[in-house]
Amino acid sequence: MSELQQLWSVVGLRVPEELEEQEATIASQMMAGTPPVSESALAYVESRSARLMGWRAALIAEEGFSRGRLEGWTRRLTPFSLVPPEAPNEDMPLLPRLAATRHAASCAEDLARRFVHNERDALKEFCKSSRLENVRGLCDELALATTVDHALSVLESHWDRVLEQRTEHRRLTELVTLREGLEDEMRAFDAEASDPNRFKRRGYSGIQENRRRADNQRRLRSLDASIASCLQEWGEREGCAFCLDGQEYKGTDLLPHEHTHMYAWTGKQMAHKDSLKSSSDSSFAPPQRVQPGQANVGAIPSSLVRQRAPAGSFSSNPGGREGKTKSSSLGASTPSSSGGTAPAAAAAAAVAAISTSTSSMSTAAPPPRTSSPAAAAAASAAAAASGGNNNNNNNN
């Protein structure tokens, strides 16, 4: 009878709910202090004890198998820092202990299956964003894995390097996110600082505005230094440029910290900058210079030719420069009371003769100081007439 009671305890049967009908009757008799003594009762107790002992052995074997499965999944998940449920205490009865072990093993297997599924999707996204060749190869190997155990083996062989790459990529991404947030803040500040109406607002302080601008530039400079250091380490370790969202990151090149005014933020200005850069790279062919003595002065418009005044028309030549004349009486002589119209006509004819002679001059030889004989005679006649008129005026 005591052996039967011990088997109930080891197996974990609830008395009398989970006992057979005859077994429950015997249990109630034993609890009342009147154990059965008939041969049929004793034969049943012996038969029931043998069946319970066989069931106990089966439960122990099944619980050991479940515990082995749990330990196997725990061992496979440990390299990935995953912690499955722990195995139940061995002091527990067999039935509840077997149920707990089965549940823990099922949870560990489900954890491994979900981990492999999530890693496949995460590695595809990481490969698309970072464009790393080793990650692309890992994704191809995972696509060929047919079981969870095989996929875990593939992941374990690449896990250390991929983990390092993802950690560094995540750190660089966080720095880029901080820089983009600072850019948004600086855009808003630059838009506000470019408004001329800010001087009319109550409480406006130019000192605070300058401090904020300097602080933004300091923060941007610090972030750019950190990003530049991380980008250099990434290039040395991976042998390729750092890519974000499938594109090489060039945020620090598009907007360096030395240039932060608001016009640098617009797409129109960036396009203008690119167009200027492309135009500056194009070849420029300067016009050929004219050799001395080969210029054709006749092809030059007469309005652009510096005309030389006739001799005697200058009262002085300040600075020794040719072509700078004072007000001449050749073209603006006032008719006098005694024949002033004739000297004016003579002066106009002299100017026309000088222009004609000047336009036909060649640059091969410097023009002489003296004018043509006809021009000189006309100028002398004009000067004589002007002198005569002045004398008549004085006599009058």
Side-chain angles (χ1 to χ4, degrees):
M1 296 294 181
S2 60
E3 183 180 1
L4 185 61
Q5 292 178 343
Q6 185 178 3
L7 288 173
W8 292 341
S9 177
V10 170
V11 173
L13 294 175
R14 291 178 297 176
V15 180
E17 291 85 356
E18 296 180 351
L19 301 179
E20 296 180 355
E21 182 178 359
Q22 187 175 358
E23 187 179 13
T25 302
I26 295 174
S28 61
Q29 293 176 357
M30 293 174 60
M31 294 177 61
T34 57
V37 293
S38 62
E39 294 181 359
S40 59
L42 294 176
Y44 175 79
V45 169
E46 184 176 356
S47 173
R48 178 60 176 169
S49 298
R51 286 188 286 121
L52 287 177
M53 291 178 64
W55 190 21
R56 182 186 64 179
L59 291 176
I60 292 175
E62 187 175 357
E63 195 272 338
F65 175 76
S66 299
R67 187 179 292 271
R69 286 181 57 229
L70 177 60
E71 292 176 354
W73 288 120
T74 302
R75 186 169 52 256
R76 298 307 305 273
L77 295 175
T78 299
F80 309 107
S81 301
L82 297 176
V83 181
E86 296 182 356
N89 193 350
E90 295 183 358
D91 296 337
M92 294 176 59
L94 283 174
L95 286 177
R97 187 172 69 189
L98 176 60
T101 306
R102 285 176 176 174
H103 179 72
S106 299
C107 290
E109 184 177 2
D110 183 65
L111 177 62
R113 184 178 293 105
R114 287 186 288 108
F115 172 72
V116 169
H117 177 74
N118 294 335
E119 282 301 316
R120 281 175 174 169
D121 295 339
L123 287 173
K124 289 179 181 178
E125 293 296 328
F126 181 58
C127 177
K128 183 179 179 180
S129 178
S130 64
R131 299 173 60 181
L132 293 173
E133 292 299 329
N134 66 304
V135 180
R136 188 185 305 275
L138 175 58
C139 292
D140 294 340
E141 292 184 33
L142 284 177
L144 299 176
T146 56
T147 61
V148 177
D149 188 70
H150 185 196
L152 288 176
S153 300
V154 173
L155 285 172
E156 186 177 359
S157 61
H158 298 271
W159 186 250
D160 291 337
R161 185 182 180 189
V162 171
L163 183 62
E164 182 181 4
Q165 290 174 330
R166 294 166 85 177
T167 302
E168 186 64 22
H169 193 276
R170 188 181 301 110
R171 185 162 70 97
L172 260 169
T173 304
E174 292 175 355
L175 290 176
V176 172
T177 303
L178 290 176
R179 193 182 194 277
E180 291 176 351
L182 180 59
E183 288 178 4
D184 294 338
E185 182 180 346
M186 293 177 71
R187 284 193 191 97
F189 170 74
D190 289 337
E192 181 181 354
S194 64
D195 184 9
N197 295 325
R198 70 185 188 280
F199 301 107
K200 303 177 184 179
R201 297 171 185 169
R202 184 183 300 273
Y204 170 78
S205 174
I207 296 177
Q208 294 181 358
E209 181 178 299
N210 291 333
R211 287 178 178 175
R212 184 177 176 185
R213 182 180 290 105
D215 181 67
N216 289 339
Q217 292 180 351
R218 179 186 58 80
R219 292 165 57 193
L220 187 63
R221 192 180 304 110
S222 176
L223 284 173
D224 284 352
S226 300
I227 292 176
S229 177
C230 293
L231 289 178
Q232 182 179 1
E233 294 177 0
W234 179 275
E236 294 176 354
R237 182 176 55 253
E238 303 300 335
C240 61
F242 173 76
C243 295
L244 186 61
D245 296 332
Q247 300 293 332
E248 182 179 354
Y249 177 72
K250 295 183 178 180
T252 55
D253 297 334
L254 295 177
L255 183 65
H257 59 265
E258 296 88 355
H259 190 63
T260 57
H261 62 77
M262 64 176 300
Y263 297 106
W265 304 92
T266 62
K268 182 178 180 181
Q269 291 294 328
M270 293 302 302
H272 180 63
K273 177 182 177 182
D274 295 338
S275 64
L276 291 179
K277 182 178 179 182
S278 60
S279 62
S280 63
D281 295 337
S282 60
S283 59
F284 173 73
Q288 297 182 356
R289 299 187 61 182
V290 179
Q291 298 298 328
Q294 298 181 1
N296 185 7
V297 183
I300 303 176
S302 60
S303 60
L304 300 179
V305 177
R306 179 179 295 176
Q307 299 180 0
R308 191 179 300 277
S313 62
F314 296 96
S315 60
S316 63
N317 189 7
R321 298 181 181 179
E322 297 180 359
K324 290 187 177 180
T325 62
K326 293 185 178 181
S327 300
S328 175
S329 62
L330 295 179
S333 58
T334 305
S336 61
S337 59
S338 60
T341 306
V351 172
I354 293 172
S355 300
T356 303
S357 62
T358 305
S359 61
S360 62
M361 293 171 61
S362 174
T363 58
R369 289 289 182 175
T370 60
S371 305
S372 63
S380 299
S386 179
N389 291 335
N390 292 334
N391 293 332
N392 291 335
N393 292 334
N394 292 334
N395 292 331
N396 293 333

